[in-house]
Amino acid sequence: NNSNDISQLLKNLDTVSLHDVWQVRHAAAHFLRCFQGCHKFLFTSYQTKKTTRIVAKLLADDRKEVSAAAMSALTGILASSPSQDVGHMVHKYIKKANNSVIKKKRSKVDKQALEGEALEKEFKRAVKQQTSVYFLCASVLARPYDTPSYAPKALAALSRHSYESSAPFTVREAVKLCCREFKRTHMTDNWELHKEQFTREQLEALDDVVSTPHYYA
């Protein structure tokens, strides 16, 4: 039974995705990208959701190779998912992204002084921030020549994480690359049509990222 085989494979990959060796986690993310892409028409709705959850957990991996592979896999999954379903997930991750912005810039001394519950709280915030930002980036990149209704909202939420005071370098870089890619694929002859999906505030937020260096913001 194909469905049972896929379910068992996903169960094993869920376990492998937690492996201590980063190369194993990287292989799991890369395999999921290829496997889901080739077998997506055999996946049940539950299996697609499970695959999305496995990949989403790897978005905040401390190895850039793993998180990048996870975002690539997620982009492919979202590209083949119904726009309405993606929109619901984007709405959820926008809330997480908005709640994970660094409230106050800390000095190196402040960071070193974190311990106990404060350290654990900061770790959870950082994980939530990277996971939500990378998810929103994947949702935008999954529709390279289209502007679904959730894209402007996702881009506006991402713009809040483009400043040095609000996010670490890896997160800011992901936001910048995502917005630049959106600009490259959308600001063409059909830009006036895409533009109609945005409010003025959303356009200003996007322009702020693609037009201004944020290294010293």
Side-chain angles (χ1 to χ4, degrees), residues 71-95:
M71 187 159 77
S72 178
L74 182 61
T75 301
I77 294 171
L78 297 181
S80 61
S81 299
S83 184
Q84 185 175 6
D85 292 348
V86 178
H88 288 316
M89 289 186 282
V90 166
H91 180 70
K92 180 179 73 173
Y93 278 95
I94 283 177
K95 287 185 176 180

Short mmCIF file of all heavy atoms in Angstrom, two decimals, residues 71-95:
data_model
loop_
_atom_site.label_atom_id
_atom_site.label_comp_id
_atom_site.label_asym_id
_atom_site.label_seq_id
_atom_site.Cartn_x
_atom_site.Cartn_y
_atom_site.Cartn_z
N MET A 71 14.38 25.27 3.83
CA MET A 71 13.59 26.31 3.19
C MET A 71 13.37 25.97 1.71
O MET A 71 12.30 26.23 1.16
CB MET A 71 14.26 27.67 3.32
CG MET A 71 13.38 28.80 2.81
SD MET A 71 13.80 30.44 3.45
CE MET A 71 15.23 30.82 2.45
N SER A 72 14.37 25.37 1.08
CA SER A 72 14.21 24.94 -0.31
C SER A 72 13.14 23.88 -0.44
O SER A 72 12.29 23.92 -1.34
CB SER A 72 15.56 24.40 -0.84
OG SER A 72 15.43 23.94 -2.16
N ALA A 73 13.15 22.92 0.49
CA ALA A 73 12.14 21.87 0.48
C ALA A 73 10.75 22.45 0.73
O ALA A 73 9.77 22.08 0.06
CB ALA A 73 12.47 20.83 1.56
N LEU A 74 10.65 23.37 1.68
CA LEU A 74 9.37 23.98 2.01
C LEU A 74 8.83 24.79 0.84
O LEU A 74 7.62 24.78 0.57
CB LEU A 74 9.52 24.88 3.24
CG LEU A 74 8.25 25.57 3.73
CD1 LEU A 74 7.20 24.53 4.14
CD2 LEU A 74 8.56 26.49 4.91
N THR A 75 9.70 25.48 0.13
CA THR A 75 9.28 26.26 -1.04
C THR A 75 8.61 25.36 -2.06
O THR A 75 7.56 25.71 -2.63
CB THR A 75 10.49 26.97 -1.68
OG1 THR A 75 11.10 27.85 -0.72
CG2 THR A 75 10.06 27.80 -2.89
N GLY A 76 9.19 24.18 -2.28
CA GLY A 76 8.59 23.24 -3.22
C GLY A 76 7.26 22.71 -2.75
O GLY A 76 6.31 22.56 -3.53
N ILE A 77 7.16 22.43 -1.45
CA ILE A 77 5.90 21.92 -0.88
C ILE A 77 4.79 22.96 -1.02
O ILE A 77 3.68 22.65 -1.44
CB ILE A 77 6.09 21.54 0.60
CG1 ILE A 77 7.05 20.35 0.73
CG2 ILE A 77 4.75 21.21 1.25
CD1 ILE A 77 7.47 20.06 2.16
N LEU A 78 5.11 24.20 -0.68
CA LEU A 78 4.10 25.26 -0.74
C LEU A 78 3.71 25.59 -2.17
O LEU A 78 2.57 25.98 -2.45
CB LEU A 78 4.63 26.52 -0.04
CG LEU A 78 4.91 26.39 1.46
CD1 LEU A 78 5.41 27.72 2.02
CD2 LEU A 78 3.68 25.91 2.22
N ALA A 79 4.65 25.40 -3.10
CA ALA A 79 4.36 25.68 -4.51
C ALA A 79 3.30 24.73 -5.06
O ALA A 79 2.54 25.10 -5.97
CB ALA A 79 5.64 25.55 -5.34
N SER A 80 3.25 23.52 -4.50
CA SER A 80 2.28 22.53 -4.98
C SER A 80 1.05 22.43 -4.08
O SER A 80 0.20 21.57 -4.28
CB SER A 80 2.94 21.15 -5.08
OG SER A 80 3.41 20.71 -3.81
N SER A 81 0.96 23.31 -3.09
CA SER A 81 -0.18 23.30 -2.17
C SER A 81 -1.23 24.31 -2.62
O SER A 81 -0.90 25.33 -3.22
CB SER A 81 0.28 23.64 -0.75
OG SER A 81 1.22 22.70 -0.27
N PRO A 82 -2.51 24.05 -2.32
CA PRO A 82 -3.57 25.02 -2.67
C PRO A 82 -3.29 26.38 -2.04
O PRO A 82 -2.89 26.46 -0.88
CB PRO A 82 -4.82 24.37 -2.08
CG PRO A 82 -4.52 22.91 -2.03
CD PRO A 82 -3.05 22.84 -1.69
N SER A 83 -3.51 27.42 -2.80
CA SER A 83 -3.23 28.77 -2.34
C SER A 83 -3.97 29.11 -1.05
O SER A 83 -3.43 29.79 -0.17
CB SER A 83 -3.60 29.78 -3.43
OG SER A 83 -3.27 31.10 -3.04
N GLN A 84 -5.19 28.60 -0.92
CA GLN A 84 -5.98 28.87 0.29
C GLN A 84 -5.33 28.27 1.53
O GLN A 84 -5.27 28.90 2.59
CB GLN A 84 -7.40 28.33 0.13
CG GLN A 84 -8.32 28.70 1.29
CD GLN A 84 -9.76 28.24 1.05
OE1 GLN A 84 -10.04 27.55 0.07
NE2 GLN A 84 -10.66 28.62 1.95
N ASP A 85 -4.80 27.05 1.38
CA ASP A 85 -4.13 26.38 2.50
C ASP A 85 -2.86 27.14 2.89
O ASP A 85 -2.57 27.32 4.09
CB ASP A 85 -3.77 24.94 2.13
CG ASP A 85 -5.00 24.06 1.98
OD1 ASP A 85 -6.10 24.50 2.36
OD2 ASP A 85 -4.85 22.93 1.46
N VAL A 86 -2.12 27.58 1.89
CA VAL A 86 -0.89 28.34 2.16
C VAL A 86 -1.24 29.64 2.86
O VAL A 86 -0.56 30.07 3.79
CB VAL A 86 -0.11 28.62 0.85
CG1 VAL A 86 1.13 29.45 1.15
CG2 VAL A 86 0.28 27.32 0.16
N GLY A 87 -2.32 30.26 2.41
CA GLY A 87 -2.75 31.51 3.02
C GLY A 87 -3.05 31.37 4.50
O GLY A 87 -2.70 32.24 5.30
N HIS A 88 -3.68 30.26 4.89
CA HIS A 88 -3.99 30.01 6.30
C HIS A 88 -2.70 29.87 7.10
O HIS A 88 -2.57 30.41 8.22
CB HIS A 88 -4.83 28.74 6.45
CG HIS A 88 -6.24 28.89 5.99
ND1 HIS A 88 -7.01 30.00 6.30
CD2 HIS A 88 -7.03 28.09 5.24
CE1 HIS A 88 -8.20 29.87 5.77
NE2 HIS A 88 -8.25 28.71 5.11
N MET A 89 -1.72 29.14 6.54
CA MET A 89 -0.44 28.95 7.24
C MET A 89 0.33 30.27 7.33
O MET A 89 0.94 30.56 8.37
CB MET A 89 0.39 27.89 6.52
CG MET A 89 -0.14 26.48 6.68
SD MET A 89 0.95 25.20 5.99
CE MET A 89 0.57 25.35 4.25
N VAL A 90 0.29 31.05 6.27
CA VAL A 90 0.98 32.34 6.28
C VAL A 90 0.41 33.24 7.36
O VAL A 90 1.16 33.93 8.08
CB VAL A 90 0.87 33.03 4.89
CG1 VAL A 90 1.28 34.50 4.98
CG2 VAL A 90 1.74 32.30 3.87
N HIS A 91 -0.91 33.25 7.49
CA HIS A 91 -1.56 34.06 8.53
C HIS A 91 -1.03 33.68 9.92
O HIS A 91 -0.74 34.55 10.75
CB HIS A 91 -3.07 33.85 8.47
CG HIS A 91 -3.84 34.62 9.50
ND1 HIS A 91 -3.98 36.00 9.46
CD2 HIS A 91 -4.51 34.20 10.62
CE1 HIS A 91 -4.70 36.39 10.50
NE2 HIS A 91 -5.02 35.32 11.22
N LYS A 92 -0.88 32.37 10.15
CA LYS A 92 -0.39 31.89 11.44
C LYS A 92 1.07 32.30 11.67
O LYS A 92 1.44 32.76 12.76
CB LYS A 92 -0.51 30.36 11.50
CG LYS A 92 -0.02 29.75 12.81
CD LYS A 92 -0.19 28.25 12.82
CE LYS A 92 0.82 27.56 11.92
NZ LYS A 92 0.78 26.08 12.05
N TYR A 93 1.88 32.18 10.62
CA TYR A 93 3.30 32.50 10.78
C TYR A 93 3.57 34.01 10.82
O TYR A 93 4.60 34.44 11.36
CB TYR A 93 4.12 31.82 9.68
CG TYR A 93 4.43 30.38 10.02
CD1 TYR A 93 3.61 29.35 9.55
CD2 TYR A 93 5.50 30.04 10.83
CE1 TYR A 93 3.86 28.02 9.88
CE2 TYR A 93 5.77 28.72 11.16
CZ TYR A 93 4.95 27.71 10.69
OH TYR A 93 5.21 26.40 11.03
N ILE A 94 2.68 34.79 10.26
CA ILE A 94 2.83 36.25 10.38
C ILE A 94 2.69 36.65 11.84
O ILE A 94 3.44 37.49 12.35
CB ILE A 94 1.77 36.98 9.52
CG1 ILE A 94 2.17 36.94 8.04
CG2 ILE A 94 1.62 38.44 9.97
CD1 ILE A 94 1.14 37.57 7.12
N LYS A 95 1.74 36.04 12.54
CA LYS A 95 1.56 36.32 13.97
C LYS A 95 2.81 35.94 14.75
O LYS A 95 3.28 36.68 15.62
CB LYS A 95 0.35 35.55 14.51
CG LYS A 95 -0.99 36.10 14.07
CD LYS A 95 -2.13 35.34 14.75
CE LYS A 95 -3.47 35.94 14.40
NZ LYS A 95 -4.60 35.22 15.06
#
